[in-house]
Amino acid sequence: MENGVSSFNKFIHELPMDSDTSSMDYSSTEEDGDGMYPPTPSSQCSRMSRASTFSRNRGHSTGWTIFLFSWILFPLRFLLGIPIRFFRLFYIRRSTASPRGSHQNSPLHTFKKIHSLRDHVIHRTTDRRRGVIEDLHLAIEVFIEVIFDFFHKAAHFLLSPSEVLKAICRWFLSWTSGNEDIHGGVSDTSIPAATLGEDDPAPTETKTTLHNSLNTDARTCQDVITELGYPYEAIHVITSDGYVLLLERIPRRDSRKAVYLQHGILDSSMGWVSNGVVGSPAFAAYDQGYDVFLGNLRGLVSREHIEKEISSQKYWRYSINEHGTEDIPAMIEKIHQVKSAELKISQPDLEEETNDDQHYKLCAISHSLGGAAMLMYVITSRIEEKSHRLSRLILMSPAGFHHDSSLVFTAFEYMFLPLAPILACFVPAFYIPTRFFRMLLNKLARDFHNYPAVGGVVQTLMSYVVGGDSSNWVGVIGLPHYNMNDMPGVSFYVAHHLAQMKRARRFRMYDYGSASANMDAYGFPEPLDLGENYGFIDIPVDLVAGKKDNVIRPSMVRKHYKLMKEACVEVSYTEFEYAHLDFTFSHHEELLAYVMSRLLLVEPAQKQLRNEKSLRLKRKGQTKF
């Protein structure tokens, strides 16, 4: 009931007007002078305002009579209220979105209107949200946007008092005279606009998604890859301890050269594709003919496990050991199964594999923590006399040695290690558990780009924490893989493992705290020192350091290089003017050129197969190699 007029009667009075105005055409010359130009949005609103005023006066003249009948027919009015308001909203939107300028209907226009009505109903039916959970989700996101908008306007008004007076005046004027347009069904929140120069200048309305309006990014690695026109495949890998990992792929099924890319701490496979076609290692390798595999270590907030109701304490109970002895072996073995099966199908003339050869060459590129886990995988595999399937390692700023670090990391070490037994009972991991706060962090990081001063302050603080690292930390947090749907986390025991290595000044496996516990895990009272076992590395290794990297300083990468040289490993060392995050999140042509040049040093599988055949012939002739 508005101004004594029921919703049903008001709908009946306004329906003819809406129907007439919705059928107007731009070609009319009845009201527009020479008829050469279409009416402007203001002229359209003025016509509808006059029609609205006329309808309102008619409503006032019969208001009391309708008021009495509306109360008598209250139950019927209540039942019909919802569908009537729905159709009324539809006709209002229809009238505001349709061109005006003629009061004459044509059969062709009526036919088009019927088809547009059908399309509109189908669109609303298929695009409609379903269920209470979706409603709550939307309400939370809108609530966040309202809060940000409130503080933004409050700060603006505080700095500009004159704007406050203007806003008050506009509100007062709209309250006294703007009700006429509102009651007539006119809304100025969405004004259609026609594009000049088009053959059919039909008004179109720009559509924006909810994530765009909230300035958030919820894309996945699959979205980024497919949007750029590359093929994509998702492979689910189950480790021996029940973790479900996502191995993503940009497939070249008939290629005999493959590359496996492994991310670092607080990262995911998104880091290898986030710079687009030109600046991403994954796309560069694919364009050079490689079958590309992107690994994801356990530790994503999605917490996928074969045990569906696994607790947080149980899920996050792992260290770097599990990355190197469970995650990477499971994914590389999956790659081997997939590649072997596909090559047998595409190239049936291939001979049967033995334990010492394979029909493709697999190289690995790793960053930060992924480099430490990859070294652990190769060494432990060779100690156990297993094949690691790899032909070359490219390690960019690998973790493992950390005693030369910033003052902040040193203070963290001295505070964290004594409190670790207590914190382990209450803090299973360092992550953002709820979707709401993940979206909030993502929005904050992306909004910082709109406020350079605030973003500069945050960038300065982050650089100070990591010791002057010049990486774009604010930009990284705003990238798609730090989104509301999923976000990498750090297990408490991974952080504890890093602190242990920093304290011991050695690259070794996790120390369980007692000789008996270490005996159960390793068969020795002390954890395995990986740096002392670099002699088990039987493939070429390329080490890359960043001169501006203060997370893992060049001196720590040179420590890896020195020990590998002493162990007679075929190793190279290179430095770039990079910070820690620049290896994956920044576009550097020289880095991509260097990485591809190292990959090309691996002998192609076709030539290697010829050598293997000659070796088999020699073995058959009992000739020693």
Side-chain angles (χ1 to χ4, degrees):
M1 179 68 65
E2 300 177 4
N3 297 327
V5 182
S6 67
S7 300
F8 178 77
N9 286 278
K10 189 169 184 181
F11 168 73
I12 295 299
H13 284 303
E14 293 176 351
L15 181 58
M17 178 198 68
D18 292 335
S19 300
D20 292 340
T21 55
S22 64
S23 62
M24 296 178 184
D25 189 28
Y26 279 130
S27 60
S28 172
T29 57
E30 293 179 2
E31 296 181 7
D32 296 319
D34 55 3
M36 294 179 61
Y37 300 98
T40 62
S42 60
S43 65
Q44 299 177 32
C45 293
S46 63
R47 293 195 203 95
M48 294 193 65
S49 179
R50 290 194 297 269
S52 173
T53 304
F54 176 76
S55 177
R56 185 194 59 179
N57 293 334
R58 292 184 59 187
H60 278 294
S61 65
T62 58
W64 285 104
T65 304
I66 297 174
F67 176 80
L68 294 176
F69 278 103
S70 65
W71 279 104
I72 294 174
L73 300 176
F74 176 77
L76 181 61
R77 183 173 64 92
F78 178 78
L79 294 175
L80 295 177
I82 296 177
I84 289 173
R85 287 183 181 275
F86 173 81
F87 283 110
R88 178 187 173 195
L89 178 63
F90 164 72
Y91 277 106
I92 290 173
R93 290 183 178 179
R94 180 68 180 168
S95 62
T96 56
S98 300
R100 292 169 174 80
S102 173
H103 293 276
Q104 297 177 357
N105 291 325
S106 64
L108 179 61
H109 191 276
T110 304
F111 179 78
K112 291 181 178 180
K113 180 178 178 181
I114 293 173
H115 276 269
S116 63
L117 173 62
R118 182 193 63 183
D119 295 339
H120 181 80
V121 172
I122 293 175
H123 174 73
R124 290 182 63 89
T125 302
T126 56
D127 195 46
R128 187 169 57 242
R129 291 178 294 109
R130 307 175 191 277
V132 177
I133 300 301
E134 288 79 2
D135 290 338
L136 292 176
H137 172 205
L138 180 61
I140 291 174
E141 293 177 341
V142 172
F143 177 70
I144 293 175
E145 181 67 19
V146 170
I147 291 177
F148 275 89
D149 187 63
F150 171 77
F151 283 104
H152 177 267
K153 290 183 178 179
H156 178 68
F157 287 152
L158 183 64
L159 298 176
S160 303
S162 59
E163 294 292 332
V164 179
L165 297 177
K166 293 180 181 179
I168 294 175
C169 293
R170 286 196 298 268
W171 175 81
F172 180 77
L173 293 175
S174 63
W175 181 75
T176 55
S177 62
N179 289 332
E180 298 177 0
D181 291 340
I182 295 176
H183 288 301
V186 178
S187 174
D188 61 349
T189 58
S190 177
I191 299 178
T195 303
L196 296 178
E198 293 183 349
D199 295 334
D200 183 16
T204 58
E205 193 170 337
T206 302
K207 296 181 180 180
T208 58
T209 63
L210 180 61
H211 296 307
N212 291 336
S213 63
L214 293 178
N215 193 25
T216 58
D217 194 344
R219 290 178 297 164
T220 62
C221 186
Q222 177 181 357
D223 296 331
V224 175
I225 293 173
T226 54
E227 285 173 3
L228 295 174
Y230 286 82
Y232 175 85
E233 181 182 352
I235 304 172
H236 292 280
V237 180
I238 301 178
T239 65
S240 60
D241 54 352
Y243 286 78
V244 181
L245 309 178
L246 177 62
L247 178 63
E248 299 179 279
R249 183 187 186 190
I250 310 177
R252 282 189 183 274
R253 306 185 190 282
D254 58 346
S255 176
R256 290 187 179 181
K257 53 183 183 179
V259 61
Y260 170 74
L261 296 100
Q262 184 55 64
H263 64 78
I265 196 169
L266 284 174
D267 198 1
S268 69
S269 58
M270 183 72 77
W272 302 110
V273 299
S274 58
N275 287 322
V277 175
V278 178
S280 299
F283 296 130
Y286 180 85
D287 292 339
Q288 291 295 322
Y290 284 84
D291 194 354
V292 181
F293 292 87
L294 310 173
N296 286 285
L297 300 175
R298 66 183 70 186
L300 294 177
V301 179
S302 56
R303 295 197 308 182
E304 293 191 59
H305 196 274
I306 58 174
E307 184 180 339
K308 299 300 182 182
E309 302 299 328
I310 188 172
S311 64
S312 296
Q313 288 285 347
K314 185 176 179 180
Y315 176 86
W316 295 100
R317 193 174 182 83
Y318 62 84
S319 65
I320 304 176
N321 284 15
E322 282 68 27
H323 290 327
T325 61
E326 296 287 349
D327 297 347
I328 293 178
M331 287 187 283
I332 289 183
E333 283 303 313
K334 191 66 174 181
I335 292 173
H336 179 66
Q337 294 174 11
V338 171
K339 288 298 297 179
S340 299
E342 290 178 348
L343 289 176
K344 286 180 181 178
I345 296 174
S346 61
Q347 303 174 26
D349 57 334
L350 292 178
E351 296 182 3
E352 194 70 24
E353 283 189 8
T354 65
N355 293 331
D356 298 327
D357 58 45
Q358 58 192 34
H359 297 314
Y360 65 97
K361 293 300 175 181
L362 178 63
C363 300
I365 303 174
S366 303
H367 176 240
S368 189
L369 183 68
M374 193 65 67
L375 288 171
M376 184 184 296
Y377 162 68
V378 172
I379 294 171
T380 55
S381 296
R382 299 308 296 164
I383 290 176
E384 298 174 1
E385 298 182 351
K386 296 179 180 178
S387 176
H388 52 65
R389 311 283 183 193
L390 298 175
S391 300
R392 194 176 194 93
L393 274 180
I394 301 175
L395 308 179
M396 298 184 292
S397 192
F401 296 103
H402 304 277
H403 48 274
D404 181 13
S405 60
S406 65
L407 180 62
V408 174
F409 288 141
T410 303
F412 173 79
E413 170 202 340
Y414 283 101
M415 294 175 58
F416 184 75
L417 287 177
L419 297 175
I422 301 175
L423 293 175
C425 301
F426 304 99
V427 184
F430 304 97
Y431 68 104
I432 301 177
T434 63
R435 193 171 187 270
F436 174 83
F437 287 105
R438 292 197 295 271
M439 180 176 64
L440 189 63
L441 176 64
N442 183 264
K443 179 172 177 57
L444 280 171
R446 292 173 64 82
D447 285 350
F448 283 157
H449 292 283
N450 299 329
Y451 302 95
V454 180
V457 171
V458 175
Q459 178 66 36
T460 302
L461 292 175
M462 289 297 299
S463 299
Y464 177 77
V465 168
V466 297
D469 196 308
S470 60
S471 300
N472 184 12
W473 298 93
V474 175
V476 168
I477 297 176
L479 288 174
H481 59 320
Y482 290 95
N483 60 54
M484 65 183 71
N485 295 324
D486 206 349
M487 187 174 288
V490 179
S491 166
F492 174 87
Y493 294 97
V494 169
H496 192 216
H497 195 174
L498 292 171
Q500 286 181 353
M501 290 190 292
K502 187 178 186 314
R503 172 69 60 87
R505 304 171 70 91
R506 291 185 293 171
F507 177 27
R508 65 179 189 175
M509 301 187 77
Y510 185 73
D511 188 352
Y512 290 95
S514 65
S516 60
N518 289 330
M519 283 292 294
D520 294 338
Y522 310 115
F524 300 98
E526 291 289 330
L528 178 67
D529 192 320
L530 298 168
E532 293 180 355
N533 290 275
Y534 277 169
F536 283 98
I537 300 176
D538 56 351
I539 54 175
V541 179
D542 301 298
L543 297 172
V544 185
K547 294 181 179 180
K548 298 180 181 179
D549 189 345
N550 283 282
V551 177
I552 300 176
R553 291 179 172 172
S555 60
M556 298 293 92
V557 182
R558 286 195 294 270
K559 180 73 172 179
H560 288 284
Y561 177 74
K562 178 182 177 182
L563 292 176
M564 289 183 186
K565 271 294 187 182
E566 293 175 353
C568 298
V569 178
E570 184 182 345
V571 60
S572 68
Y573 176 81
T574 306
E575 288 185 359
F576 290 98
E577 291 287 338
Y578 297 163
H580 190 67
L581 299 181
D582 293 337
F583 289 104
T584 54
F585 298 124
S586 298
H587 174 205
H588 294 291
E589 289 289 348
E590 57 180 353
L591 176 63
L592 293 179
Y594 172 79
V595 170
M596 294 309 303
S597 67
R598 307 316 289 181
L599 291 179
L600 293 175
L601 294 177
V602 177
E603 187 177 4
Q606 290 87 344
K607 295 181 181 179
Q608 183 69 19
L609 283 174
R610 297 192 194 102
N611 296 336
E612 290 168 357
K613 290 179 180 178
S614 63
L615 287 175
R616 292 191 189 100
L617 293 175
K618 290 181 180 180
R619 288 169 185 168
K620 289 180 180 179
Q622 296 182 352
T623 304
K624 292 185 179 180
F625 177 69

